[in-house]
Amino acid sequence: MGLVGVQENGNGEMGLSLGTKNKYKRMDSELSDDFDDDIALYQDQLERKRSTRKYVLACAIFASLNNVLLGYDVGVMSGAIIFIQEDLKITEVQEEVLVGILSIISLLGSLGGGRTSDIIGRKWTMAFAAVVFQIGAAIMTLAPSFEILMIGRILAGVGIGFGVMIAPVYIAEISPTIERGSLTSFPEIFINIGILLGYVSNYAFSGLSVHTNWRVMLAVGILPSIFIGFALFIIPESPRWLVMQNRVDEARSVLLKTNENEKEVEERLSEIVAAAGMSNGEKGEEKAVWRELLTPSPTLRRMLITGFGIQCFQQITGIDATVYYSPTIFKDAGIESNSKLLVATVAVGVTKTAFILVATFLVDRVGRKPLLYVSTIGMTVCLFTLSVSLAILGNGQLAIAMAVLCVCGNVAFFSVGIGPVCWIITSEIFPLRFRAQASALGAVGNRVCSGFVAMSFLSLSRSITVSGTFFLFSIFSALSVLFVYKCVPETKGKSLEQIELLFQNQNEWQGSELELGDAENLVPKA
């Protein structure tokens, strides 16, 4: 009986043991299934993240192609003007006008670009810019005289004005918050690539006859705009522009392609709709945009001071003079051969392009203001040193070495900070309904200052010497350091809608930080 009981107990225990093992097996199986599901979900999310990043990257690259045109024109004209002067027998004043007129005329494109992009969209404004530039470049290539060359240059300037203004706005509006800074710097990267290509083109075709070489140099500039036609089949319209047109479903579709997190998509869409004024029917009741820009509120005035000011400082520090007239600077230092002059300018182009890549890597990691400080202080030192070396050293190997070093240093510091960050800041700070036209206003300031510098450099250099001209640029560069300190807030890591809050308080605008968590609490949720 006892044995039976023991056996029963044993059987009972064995039965219990077997039952427990089966239970563990079922639990292990369920855990394994859950784990497999989690792995599959993670892999799907990872794949979606890669897909969206590739898509946004492609959009940023294609949107920036118009900026290659500006860069190429700046780079190629620095060398082509030597041969144009020889072929068409133009005067020094005509040379200044030919070089500088593109920047002055491009302001018309920038002014018209804001309104045009609000009417036909960001995407088709980029297409229009490419077409206008192609026509202008073709006329320049075939120009038999200075007058015809000027007509082509004017058309090219209008096209460049449209393209330069709209690219950063489009990229800022389509980019995820965490990557917006680096992606919005793409237009500046492509300007630098264009400058480098222009320098290389100068060197490559300089061996042709004087009547032919500059025409080939200018004709090559048509090629980038052809690729923009293919880009139109790939890039979507800006989701923020779509919301302004009351096409919210289309905007959501675009945001889903450019953001991997669906919850974030809905949050961003709610912020955009609220910012556009559609959620409470404000759109038809507000004053005309240009009227508000001319009589701004205190908040908008701070934005305009920051946006317009940083655009002007980017140019009055003389960067376009450095690039356009780098052969003149090196000739003043003692380089005499045209081929050696063009080789030296290629070194400038390589430096400028390399350091813009550094800025792209750092801008979303260290922030906008630290890069601006490094850039403006470094430029001030390089410009002042260049001025002193040209005045004291005269001609000779040491003067040439110092000139090349200072010019390369100046463009390097420019590219690592104020070059790209200027466009990033301008495309970030304005409210949605003002963004296109306020950015256009900033681009106008940029182009006017660029044109003024380019059209006066030779005359100014003859009046106060090249050394004195760069001393003047160094003073403006020193003032830009103070401007950054007083008027430029940090925008790293904040959505476009949150950045508006930085300008609503005088103290926050003047350099102090608004924590991201505080900004998120202040932004209304739909």
Side-chain angles (χ1 to χ4, degrees):
M1 192 70 182
L3 288 173
V4 172
V6 170
Q7 189 170 355
E8 284 176 356
N9 289 342
N11 288 339
E13 289 174 6
M14 186 176 290
L16 179 61
S17 177
L18 287 171
T20 304
K21 285 182 181 178
N22 288 336
K23 181 179 178 183
Y24 288 154
K25 284 181 180 177
R26 286 194 300 272
M27 288 177 67
D28 287 345
S29 177
E30 289 172 4
L31 286 171
S32 178
D33 290 342
D34 290 344
F35 182 72
D36 289 341
D37 290 342
D38 289 342
I39 289 292
L41 180 61
Y42 174 75
Q43 288 176 338
D44 287 343
Q45 290 175 340
L46 195 61
E47 184 61 31
R48 177 175 169 80
K49 184 176 182 179
R50 287 173 182 160
S51 177
T52 55
R53 289 191 70 180
K54 287 179 182 177
Y55 185 73
V56 173
L57 183 64
C59 291
I61 289 172
F62 283 123
S64 302
L65 286 176
N66 269 321
N67 294 69
V68 176
L69 306 178
L70 173 60
Y72 184 81
D73 182 89
V74 171
V76 81
M77 191 53 72
S78 68
I81 194 66
I82 299 172
F83 306 107
I84 292 172
Q85 190 176 34
E86 188 176 345
D87 184 31
L88 300 182
K89 311 300 181 188
I90 63 176
T91 65
E92 186 179 277
V93 173
Q94 287 176 322
E95 181 184 345
E96 283 185 317
V97 171
L98 184 64
V99 169
I101 194 67
L102 183 134
S103 294
I104 297 295
I105 292 299
S106 65
L107 72 87
L108 299 177
S110 295
L111 272 174
R115 182 60 179 157
T116 302
S117 67
D118 280 344
I119 295 172
I120 68 174
R122 312 326 193 200
K123 175 177 172 178
W124 293 107
T125 301
M126 288 187 280
F128 179 72
V131 170
V132 174
F133 178 86
Q134 282 180 329
I135 296 170
I139 292 173
M140 285 193 293
T141 301
L142 302 173
S145 65
F146 173 76
E147 291 75 19
I148 302 299
L149 188 62
M150 283 293 294
I151 292 172
R153 196 132 175 88
I154 287 169
L155 285 173
V158 172
I160 285 175
F162 272 93
V164 167
M165 172 264 147
I166 197 59
V169 172
Y170 173 83
I171 296 171
E173 291 185 345
I174 204 169
S175 301
T177 299
I178 195 170
E179 296 176 327
R180 189 181 62 246
S182 58
L183 291 172
T184 309
S185 69
F186 271 38
E188 186 67 22
I189 292 175
F190 278 75
I191 287 175
N192 284 277
I193 291 173
I195 290 172
L196 179 58
L197 291 175
Y199 286 156
V200 172
S201 178
N202 287 337
Y203 185 72
F205 299 117
S206 61
L208 299 176
S209 69
V210 173
H211 182 69
T212 304
N213 55 14
W214 65 268
R215 299 177 190 276
V216 176
M217 293 172 188
L218 296 179
V220 171
I222 299 174
L223 295 178
S225 62
I226 294 174
F227 291 104
I228 297 171
F230 296 104
L232 296 176
F233 296 99
I234 297 175
I235 64 175
E237 185 51 85
S238 159
R240 286 166 172 84
W241 182 82
L242 291 170
V243 168
M244 289 173 67
Q245 305 304 308
N246 205 16
R247 293 156 62 178
V248 178
D249 290 338
E250 292 179 55
R252 180 182 288 106
S253 177
V254 174
L255 286 170
L256 285 169
K257 291 179 182 178
T258 58
N259 292 265
E260 67 267 15
N261 190 318
E262 292 188 18
K263 182 181 178 183
E264 182 182 341
V265 166
E266 294 304 322
E267 290 176 355
R268 288 287 168 262
L269 188 61
S270 297
E271 289 178 3
I272 294 168
V273 170
M278 293 176 60
S279 58
N280 52 14
E282 294 173 357
K283 190 173 182 181
E285 300 174 6
E286 296 178 345
K287 293 186 289 183
V289 169
W290 276 112
R291 197 181 307 162
E292 289 194 53
L293 289 174
L294 293 173
T295 56
S297 64
T299 298
L300 184 57
R301 186 182 301 114
R302 295 181 195 117
M303 293 175 179
L304 288 170
I305 290 171
T306 298
F308 192 80
I310 197 170
Q311 289 280 6
C312 292
F313 273 114
Q314 192 209 45
Q315 290 299 326
I316 61 174
T317 51
I319 188 63
D320 274 6
T322 306
V323 176
Y324 273 128
Y325 296 109
S326 52
T328 302
I329 300 166
F330 297 142
K331 188 179 289 186
D332 195 67
I335 299 178
E336 296 177 357
S337 165
N338 281 346
S339 60
K340 289 181 179 179
L341 286 173
L342 295 178
V343 169
T345 59
V346 170
V348 175
V350 170
T351 303
K352 202 168 187 298
T353 305
F355 277 86
I356 191 69
L357 298 176
V358 175
T360 302
F361 177 77
L362 293 176
V363 70
D364 281 324
R365 290 170 171 81
V366 304
R368 283 55 158 161
K369 286 196 78 165
L371 289 183
L372 284 173
Y373 282 134
V374 170
S375 175
T376 50
I377 293 170
M379 287 171 62
T380 303
V381 172
C382 288
L383 289 167
F384 180 75
T385 305
L386 178 60
S387 171
V388 172
S389 65
L390 289 174
I392 295 176
L393 299 178
N395 296 337
Q397 292 302 313
L398 181 58
I400 292 171
M402 286 299 296
V404 173
L405 181 64
C406 290
V407 169
C408 287
N410 183 50
V411 298
F413 280 114
F414 176 88
S415 292
V416 87
I418 198 169
V421 174
C422 163
W423 296 102
I424 294 170
I425 292 289
T426 307
S427 64
E428 288 179 330
I429 61 176
F430 295 107
L432 177 57
R433 65 187 299 268
F434 297 107
R435 188 169 298 138
Q437 295 186 51
S439 296
L441 197 60
V444 166
N446 183 284
R447 293 295 86 202
V448 168
C449 292
S450 170
F452 177 77
V453 168
M455 294 177 76
S456 63
F457 180 80
L458 292 178
S459 300
L460 196 60
S461 297
R462 289 197 181 280
S463 300
I464 62 172
T465 73
V466 174
S467 171
T469 303
F470 278 96
F471 178 74
L472 191 61
F473 289 151
S474 71
I475 293 174
F476 288 132
S477 186
L479 291 175
S480 71
V481 181
L482 297 177
F483 179 82
V484 169
Y485 174 74
K486 292 292 291 182
C487 299
V488 181
E490 181 58 74
T491 59
K492 177 176 75 80
K494 299 171 177 64
S495 74
L496 296 179
E497 288 68 37
Q498 291 164 350
I499 290 170
E500 293 179 34
L501 299 171
L502 293 170
F503 290 86
Q504 292 177 8
N505 183 287
Q506 179 92 13
N507 294 327
E508 288 161 0
W509 172 56
Q510 292 184 332
S512 61
E513 296 278 344
L514 177 68
E515 293 297 325
L516 183 57
D518 297 336
E520 287 173 342
N521 292 331
L522 290 169
V523 173
K525 302 291 183 184

